[in-house]
Amino acid sequence: MPVNTFADRAISFFNSLELELDDSLKIGVLNPYQSTIVKNVVDNFFTKYFNDRNQRIFIFGINPGRHGGGITGISFTDPLALLKHCGIENVFNKRFELSSEFIYRVIERYGGPGLFYRHFFLTAICPLGFTKDNKNYNYYDDKKLLEAVEPFIRETFNSQINIGAKKDVLICLGTGKNKRFIETLNNETQYFKKVIALEHPRFIMQYKRKKLEAYIQQYVNTISDLVI
């Protein structure tokens, strides 16, 4: 078995995540990695798909949601997708998330999780999520929240890249605030040669569903063109 694989580094990264916010913000932090159940899922997932030393193209979303990665610990992967598409048994309530539904339609059209995860790593620019009033909250939705978490995002951005990122291109999910933030961060760090932005899965599923097939194919075409 290879030593210090992509899986080893990813598991270590996610299991080490910690973030506390000032109570005055009245914003909760989604950190599923404190759970032994999630730690086991993370271990199983990355050992299954990333147990090698290969670099991958990184795809950055915003931050985990409370029905997807905020439960399972796997980005854009709700409990249903974790079982149905990834073949990983889990005890979570089998509810679905819109973003996960879209992503796994893309993954299946691309050739399935085995092929997809051989080349790509799905994650988020802020690897922990947030809730406010029992709803998902994005890191950029509140100026004070962004100020509080920006040091964490910068630190984990660097740590995630060290898991094994190819530096030719970064794929950003979100063409608005997430894109602007990631482009600014990348301009400062010069980690990646190019940033490609795609519409966020949640936006597509909620507002552009009539064009769903076109968006799925756009995603597949984009990622296929990047794999040599």
Side-chain angles (χ1 to χ4, degrees):
M1 181 180 294
V3 178
N4 196 23
T5 62
F6 192 108
D8 293 331
R9 295 189 292 271
I11 292 166
S12 176
F13 169 76
F14 286 110
N15 286 344
S16 69
L17 289 175
E18 294 182 2
L19 177 64
E20 293 185 8
L21 297 178
D22 192 286
D23 291 342
S24 63
L25 291 173
K26 297 182 180 179
I27 295 171
V29 176
L30 286 172
N31 187 351
Y33 308 104
Q34 297 174 332
S35 161
T36 300
I37 293 172
V38 172
K39 288 179 187 291
N40 289 336
V41 166
V42 169
D43 186 83
N44 291 338
F45 175 83
F46 282 102
T47 299
K48 181 174 183 176
Y49 292 111
F50 295 84
N51 199 29
D52 55 56
R53 302 186 202 183
N54 300 332
Q55 292 184 325
R56 286 165 170 81
I57 296 169
F58 277 38
I59 303 176
F60 281 94
I62 301 168
N63 41 243
R66 61 197 178 98
H67 298 314
I71 292 177
T72 64
I74 308 300
S75 292
F76 290 99
T77 304
D78 62 28
L80 281 171
L82 188 62
L83 176 61
K84 178 181 177 181
H85 297 285
C86 301
I88 295 177
E89 298 282 346
N90 63 87
V91 299
F92 308 120
N93 182 15
K94 300 302 185 292
R95 62 186 306 168
F96 74 95
E97 181 193 55
L98 288 176
S99 292
S100 178
E101 180 184 346
F102 177 86
I103 286 294
Y104 277 90
R105 289 193 184 195
V106 171
I107 288 175
E108 290 299 334
R109 184 169 298 184
Y110 180 74
L115 181 61
F116 178 82
Y117 288 122
R118 190 183 309 163
H119 300 293
F120 299 95
F121 173 55
L122 276 171
T123 185
I125 191 64
C126 185
L128 296 180
F130 308 99
T131 59
K132 186 172 184 179
D133 299 326
N134 294 318
K135 296 180 180 179
N136 288 332
Y137 210 61
N138 296 322
Y139 70 87
Y140 53 66
D141 283 340
D142 184 295
K143 183 178 179 181
K144 290 184 178 180
L145 174 61
L146 179 56
E147 290 175 353
V149 302
E150 187 166 351
F152 171 78
I153 293 175
R154 288 177 175 274
E155 178 184 351
T156 55
F157 183 58
N158 181 67
S159 297
Q160 292 199 80
I161 290 167
N162 289 335
I163 293 172
K166 287 186 174 181
K167 302 293 183 65
D168 292 336
V169 62
L170 175 161
I171 300 177
C172 165
L173 302 188
T175 57
K177 294 179 180 179
N178 198 43
K179 173 178 178 283
R180 290 193 291 273
F181 182 87
I182 287 176
E183 284 183 335
T184 298
L185 187 55
N186 191 57
N187 287 339
E188 293 176 8
T189 60
Q190 294 292 304
Y191 280 137
F192 297 92
K193 296 177 183 178
K194 180 170 64 172
V195 174
I196 296 175
L198 296 169
E199 289 287 5
H200 194 278
R202 175 76 191 196
F203 177 82
I204 295 169
M205 296 295 281
Q206 193 164 354
Y207 300 108
K208 299 290 184 177
R209 194 141 191 160
K210 289 183 179 179
K211 298 181 178 179
L212 179 60
E213 284 300 312
Y215 278 111
I216 291 172
Q217 196 58 48
Q218 179 194 33
Y219 263 65
V220 173
N221 292 344
T222 298
I223 63 178
S224 298
D225 288 345
L226 297 176
V227 176
I228 299 174

